[in-house]
Amino acid sequence: MQVRQIMSSPVVTVDVGATLRDAVGEMLDRGVGSVVVVDAGPVGIVTRTDALRETHRGDGSLSAVPVTRAMNRDLVTTTEKASVTSALEEMKRHEVKRLPVRDGVDLVGIVTVTDVARHQPQAVNEVRRHLGSGGWRG
C-alpha cells in the first residue's frame, strides 16, 4: 500500500509570517492536530504539543508569538509513492507522528500514525509500543 492511498489532502498550512494564534486557529477550525508552515515550500510544522509548550513558556498573547518560534524546523517528509511501511519506519526513526507528503517540490498531503493504524491494523501494536515509550513528538 502506498502513502497516497491513506494520506489526508489538502494539507492545512500557514504562512511563515503567521502567528501562533493563526496556527492554533487553523488547527481548531479544520479539526487537525498540526499545520505545516510554508514559505516557497514547507519549512516546518507546528503541532498541538508545540503550541501548548510555547503557550506555557510565554506570558504574552498568541498573536505576539511568531509561528517560526513554535515550529519544529526538522521537517521529515515522505513521498506519495512511498510504501506505508517505509513511512512508518521514517516516523519511528525520527520519532514523529506526522509526515508531510511531497510530490516533487509540491506539498500534496500528510500522513499520520493514526492513518497508518486505521489502514494497516497489523501495525497498531507496534505503533502503540513506540507511542507508549513517550519518545514520539506531537
Side-chain angles (χ1 to χ4, degrees), residues 27 32-36 45-50 74-78 87 90-92 94-101 109-115 136-138:
M27 285 187 258
V32 297
S34 64
V35 293
V36 176
I45 190 166
V46 176
T47 67
R48 282 185 294 232
T49 302
D50 297 328
D74 298 327
L75 191 62
V76 181
T77 64
T78 190
E90 282 297 302
M91 290 178 198
K92 287 184 345 190
H94 296 280
E95 296 180 343
V96 296
K97 297 177 188 175
R98 298 165 177 86
L99 293 176
V101 181
I110 192 162
V111 64
T112 68
V113 170
T114 302
D115 297 328
W136 290 37
R137 298 182 306 210

Side-chain angles (χ1 to χ4, degrees), residues 3 19-20 23 28 32 43 73 75 78 92-93 96 113 124 127:
V3 167
T19 66
L20 190 53
L28 291 171
V32 297
V43 295
R73 295 174 190 272
L75 191 62
T78 190
K92 287 184 345 190
R93 182 175 17 265
V96 296
V113 170
V124 171
V127 171

Side-chain angles (χ1 to χ4, degrees), residues 12-27 33-39 41-55 57 61-74:
V12 179
T13 63
V14 294
D15 187 73
V16 71
T19 66
L20 190 53
R21 179 177 173 77
D22 298 328
V24 168
E26 283 296 317
M27 285 187 258
S34 64
V35 293
V36 176
V37 180
V38 296
D39 195 359
V43 295
I45 190 166
V46 176
T47 67
R48 282 185 294 232
T49 302
D50 297 328
L52 284 170
R53 185 178 298 114
E54 192 61 38
T55 302
R57 265 188 231 159
S61 164
L62 292 181
S63 297
V65 178
V67 73
T68 53
R69 189 161 84 196
M71 77 180 188
N72 185 329
R73 295 174 190 272
D74 298 327

